[in-house]
mmCIF file of all heavy atoms in Angstrom:
data_model
loop_
_atom_site.group_PDB
_atom_site.id
_atom_site.type_symbol
_atom_site.label_atom_id
_atom_site.label_comp_id
_atom_site.label_asym_id
_atom_site.label_seq_id
_atom_site.Cartn_x
_atom_site.Cartn_y
_atom_site.Cartn_z
ATOM 1 N N LEU X 217 26.628 -15.987 -16.608
ATOM 2 C CA LEU X 217 25.954 -16.075 -15.411
ATOM 3 C C LEU X 217 24.544 -15.470 -15.336
ATOM 4 O O LEU X 217 24.102 -15.010 -14.156
ATOM 5 C CB LEU X 217 26.829 -15.508 -14.287
ATOM 6 C CG LEU X 217 28.260 -15.963 -14.268
ATOM 7 C CD1 LEU X 217 29.029 -15.487 -13.087
ATOM 8 C CD2 LEU X 217 28.400 -17.652 -14.139
ATOM 9 N N ASN X 218 23.867 -15.476 -16.461
ATOM 10 C CA ASN X 218 22.587 -14.727 -16.638
ATOM 11 C C ASN X 218 21.617 -15.222 -15.445
ATOM 12 O O ASN X 218 20.722 -14.510 -15.006
ATOM 13 C CB ASN X 218 22.026 -14.845 -17.948
ATOM 14 C CG ASN X 218 20.632 -14.045 -18.107
ATOM 15 O OD1 ASN X 218 20.755 -12.964 -18.134
ATOM 16 N ND2 ASN X 218 19.640 -14.874 -18.469
ATOM 17 N N ASP X 219 21.608 -16.574 -15.311
ATOM 18 C CA ASP X 219 20.645 -17.136 -14.349
ATOM 19 C C ASP X 219 20.798 -16.627 -12.883
ATOM 20 O O ASP X 219 19.947 -16.673 -12.088
ATOM 21 C CB ASP X 219 20.743 -18.657 -14.199
ATOM 22 C CG ASP X 219 20.277 -19.271 -15.556
ATOM 23 O OD1 ASP X 219 19.495 -18.646 -16.340
ATOM 24 O OD2 ASP X 219 20.493 -20.399 -15.728
ATOM 25 N N LEU X 220 22.118 -16.050 -12.647
ATOM 26 C CA LEU X 220 22.368 -15.484 -11.311
ATOM 27 C C LEU X 220 22.246 -14.045 -11.196
ATOM 28 O O LEU X 220 22.359 -13.444 -10.031
ATOM 29 C CB LEU X 220 23.764 -15.865 -10.867
ATOM 30 C CG LEU X 220 24.078 -17.365 -10.752
ATOM 31 C CD1 LEU X 220 25.485 -17.760 -10.416
ATOM 32 C CD2 LEU X 220 23.317 -17.952 -9.421
ATOM 33 N N HIS X 221 21.814 -13.281 -12.226
ATOM 34 C CA HIS X 221 21.921 -11.934 -12.311
ATOM 35 C C HIS X 221 20.848 -11.329 -11.363
ATOM 36 O O HIS X 221 21.253 -10.322 -10.624
ATOM 37 C CB HIS X 221 21.717 -11.327 -13.751
ATOM 38 C CG HIS X 221 22.888 -11.477 -14.569
ATOM 39 N ND1 HIS X 221 22.898 -11.100 -15.857
ATOM 40 C CD2 HIS X 221 24.224 -11.925 -14.366
ATOM 41 C CE1 HIS X 221 24.130 -11.365 -16.458
ATOM 42 N NE2 HIS X 221 24.899 -11.962 -15.458
ATOM 43 N N HIS X 222 19.743 -11.714 -11.419
ATOM 44 C CA HIS X 222 18.579 -11.324 -10.558
ATOM 45 C C HIS X 222 18.973 -11.393 -9.106
ATOM 46 O O HIS X 222 18.863 -10.322 -8.290
ATOM 47 C CB HIS X 222 17.296 -11.938 -10.836
ATOM 48 C CG HIS X 222 16.241 -11.463 -9.916
ATOM 49 N ND1 HIS X 222 15.574 -10.237 -10.150
ATOM 50 C CD2 HIS X 222 15.602 -12.011 -8.891
ATOM 51 C CE1 HIS X 222 14.660 -10.072 -9.174
ATOM 52 N NE2 HIS X 222 14.615 -11.148 -8.472
ATOM 53 N N THR X 223 19.453 -12.536 -8.551
ATOM 54 C CA THR X 223 19.700 -12.737 -7.168
ATOM 55 C C THR X 223 20.937 -11.848 -6.795
ATOM 56 O O THR X 223 20.986 -11.261 -5.726
ATOM 57 C CB THR X 223 20.025 -14.223 -6.932
ATOM 58 O OG1 THR X 223 18.828 -14.938 -7.247
ATOM 59 C CG2 THR X 223 20.315 -14.510 -5.449
ATOM 60 N N ALA X 224 21.827 -11.837 -7.697
ATOM 61 C CA ALA X 224 23.085 -10.954 -7.444
ATOM 62 C C ALA X 224 22.685 -9.465 -7.288
ATOM 63 O O ALA X 224 23.327 -8.737 -6.482
ATOM 64 C CB ALA X 224 24.144 -11.149 -8.546
ATOM 65 N N ARG X 225 21.834 -8.975 -8.105
ATOM 66 C CA ARG X 225 21.493 -7.611 -7.881
ATOM 67 C C ARG X 225 20.685 -7.396 -6.629
ATOM 68 O O ARG X 225 20.905 -6.307 -5.956
ATOM 69 C CB ARG X 225 20.429 -7.321 -9.087
ATOM 70 C CG ARG X 225 21.196 -7.041 -10.449
ATOM 71 C CD ARG X 225 20.200 -6.374 -11.513
ATOM 72 N NE ARG X 225 20.778 -6.386 -12.855
ATOM 73 C CZ ARG X 225 20.570 -7.275 -13.670
ATOM 74 N NH1 ARG X 225 19.820 -8.161 -13.553
ATOM 75 N NH2 ARG X 225 21.214 -7.069 -14.933
ATOM 76 N N GLU X 226 19.883 -8.328 -6.102
ATOM 77 C CA GLU X 226 19.262 -8.283 -4.853
ATOM 78 C C GLU X 226 20.248 -8.127 -3.787
ATOM 79 O O GLU X 226 20.226 -7.310 -2.786
ATOM 80 C CB GLU X 226 18.327 -9.393 -4.535
ATOM 81 C CG GLU X 226 17.083 -9.444 -5.435
ATOM 82 C CD GLU X 226 16.056 -10.408 -5.134
ATOM 83 O OE1 GLU X 226 16.625 -11.537 -4.764
ATOM 84 O OE2 GLU X 226 14.991 -10.282 -5.344
ATOM 85 N N LEU X 227 21.282 -9.039 -3.841
ATOM 86 C CA LEU X 227 22.283 -9.040 -2.731
ATOM 87 C C LEU X 227 23.175 -7.773 -2.855
ATOM 88 O O LEU X 227 23.653 -7.264 -1.873
ATOM 89 C CB LEU X 227 23.216 -10.325 -2.983
ATOM 90 C CG LEU X 227 22.630 -11.597 -2.563
ATOM 91 C CD1 LEU X 227 23.567 -12.707 -2.635
ATOM 92 C CD2 LEU X 227 21.906 -11.524 -1.085
ATOM 93 N N LEU X 228 23.435 -7.172 -4.165
ATOM 94 C CA LEU X 228 24.174 -6.025 -4.179
ATOM 95 C C LEU X 228 23.394 -4.838 -3.562
ATOM 96 O O LEU X 228 24.033 -4.183 -2.886
ATOM 97 C CB LEU X 228 24.446 -5.695 -5.745
ATOM 98 C CG LEU X 228 25.145 -4.489 -6.015
ATOM 99 C CD1 LEU X 228 26.486 -4.491 -5.369
ATOM 100 C CD2 LEU X 228 25.176 -4.309 -7.546
ATOM 101 N N ASN X 229 22.128 -4.747 -3.764
ATOM 102 C CA ASN X 229 21.299 -3.679 -2.981
ATOM 103 C C ASN X 229 21.377 -3.913 -1.562
ATOM 104 O O ASN X 229 21.461 -2.939 -0.901
ATOM 105 C CB ASN X 229 19.898 -3.851 -3.496
ATOM 106 C CG ASN X 229 19.649 -3.082 -4.933
ATOM 107 O OD1 ASN X 229 20.601 -2.424 -5.337
ATOM 108 N ND2 ASN X 229 18.596 -3.440 -5.590
ATOM 109 N N TYR X 230 21.370 -5.287 -1.001
ATOM 110 C CA TYR X 230 21.521 -5.404 0.395
ATOM 111 C C TYR X 230 22.844 -4.909 0.898
ATOM 112 O O TYR X 230 22.878 -4.236 1.990
ATOM 113 C CB TYR X 230 21.443 -6.925 0.513
ATOM 114 C CG TYR X 230 21.575 -7.465 1.998
ATOM 115 C CD1 TYR X 230 20.385 -7.505 2.829
ATOM 116 C CD2 TYR X 230 22.766 -7.740 2.653
ATOM 117 C CE1 TYR X 230 20.372 -7.935 4.179
ATOM 118 C CE2 TYR X 230 22.737 -8.073 3.910
ATOM 119 C CZ TYR X 230 21.545 -8.252 4.659
ATOM 120 O OH TYR X 230 21.654 -8.616 6.119
ATOM 121 N N CYS X 231 24.004 -4.991 0.094
ATOM 122 C CA CYS X 231 25.225 -4.408 0.577
ATOM 123 C C CYS X 231 25.122 -2.992 0.529
ATOM 124 O O CYS X 231 25.481 -2.282 1.540
ATOM 125 C CB CYS X 231 26.342 -4.995 -0.394
ATOM 126 S SG CYS X 231 26.869 -6.663 -0.321
ATOM 127 N N ARG X 232 24.734 -2.394 -0.589
ATOM 128 C CA ARG X 232 24.623 -1.022 -0.665
ATOM 129 C C ARG X 232 23.793 -0.345 0.211
ATOM 130 O O ARG X 232 24.017 0.924 0.594
ATOM 131 C CB ARG X 232 24.184 -0.630 -2.234
ATOM 132 C CG ARG X 232 25.290 -1.118 -3.210
ATOM 133 C CD ARG X 232 24.827 -0.616 -4.678
ATOM 134 N NE ARG X 232 24.775 0.832 -4.684
ATOM 135 C CZ ARG X 232 23.893 1.575 -5.409
ATOM 136 N NH1 ARG X 232 23.072 0.902 -6.161
ATOM 137 N NH2 ARG X 232 23.947 2.785 -5.487
ATOM 138 N N LEU X 233 22.742 -0.881 0.743
ATOM 139 C CA LEU X 233 21.850 -0.333 1.655
ATOM 140 C C LEU X 233 22.724 -0.038 2.901
ATOM 141 O O LEU X 233 22.231 0.905 3.854
ATOM 142 C CB LEU X 233 20.752 -1.201 2.090
ATOM 143 C CG LEU X 233 19.633 -0.712 3.039
ATOM 144 C CD1 LEU X 233 18.961 0.534 2.287
ATOM 145 C CD2 LEU X 233 18.589 -1.723 3.212
ATOM 146 N N ARG X 234 23.815 -0.787 3.222
ATOM 147 C CA ARG X 234 24.734 -0.490 4.393
ATOM 148 C C ARG X 234 25.812 0.298 4.023
ATOM 149 O O ARG X 234 26.334 1.090 4.885
ATOM 150 C CB ARG X 234 25.131 -1.902 4.868
ATOM 151 C CG ARG X 234 23.971 -2.625 5.736
ATOM 152 C CD ARG X 234 23.979 -4.104 5.540
ATOM 153 N NE ARG X 234 22.807 -4.674 6.166
ATOM 154 C CZ ARG X 234 21.572 -4.787 5.559
ATOM 155 N NH1 ARG X 234 21.440 -4.334 4.376
ATOM 156 N NH2 ARG X 234 20.601 -5.337 6.233
ATOM 157 N N THR X 235 26.452 0.161 2.858
ATOM 158 C CA THR X 235 27.564 0.900 2.508
ATOM 159 C C THR X 235 27.388 2.194 1.853
ATOM 160 O O THR X 235 28.289 3.117 1.823
ATOM 161 C CB THR X 235 28.489 0.042 1.678
ATOM 162 O OG1 THR X 235 27.833 -0.279 0.442
ATOM 163 C CG2 THR X 235 28.925 -1.268 2.399
ATOM 164 N N ASP X 236 26.285 2.375 1.128
ATOM 165 C CA ASP X 236 25.967 3.605 0.359
ATOM 166 C C ASP X 236 24.519 3.952 0.319
ATOM 167 O O ASP X 236 23.751 4.046 -0.684
ATOM 168 C CB ASP X 236 26.443 3.439 -1.050
ATOM 169 C CG ASP X 236 26.454 4.705 -1.830
ATOM 170 O OD1 ASP X 236 26.346 5.843 -1.231
ATOM 171 O OD2 ASP X 236 26.654 4.800 -3.072
ATOM 172 N N PRO X 237 23.828 4.104 1.531
ATOM 173 C CA PRO X 237 22.299 4.091 1.592
ATOM 174 C C PRO X 237 21.734 5.384 0.979
ATOM 175 O O PRO X 237 20.740 5.247 0.300
ATOM 176 C CB PRO X 237 22.149 4.174 3.138
ATOM 177 C CG PRO X 237 23.448 4.741 3.667
ATOM 178 C CD PRO X 237 24.564 4.095 2.841
ATOM 179 N N GLU X 238 22.426 6.471 1.022
ATOM 180 C CA GLU X 238 21.745 7.674 0.283
ATOM 181 C C GLU X 238 21.559 7.450 -1.159
ATOM 182 O O GLU X 238 20.507 7.808 -1.681
ATOM 183 C CB GLU X 238 22.506 8.977 0.705
ATOM 184 C CG GLU X 238 22.388 9.261 2.169
ATOM 185 C CD GLU X 238 23.167 10.622 2.577
ATOM 186 O OE1 GLU X 238 23.583 11.325 1.492
ATOM 187 O OE2 GLU X 238 23.185 10.971 3.684
#
Side-chain angles (χ1 to χ4, degrees):
L217 307 181
N218 183 64
D219 289 345
L220 293 172
H221 286 181
H222 178 73
T223 304
R225 287 191 184 96
E226 290 184 330
L227 290 182
L228 180 59
N229 282 343
Y230 182 89
C231 289
R232 294 183 60 211
L233 189 60
R234 287 149 182 80
T235 60
D236 193 11
E238 291 186 6

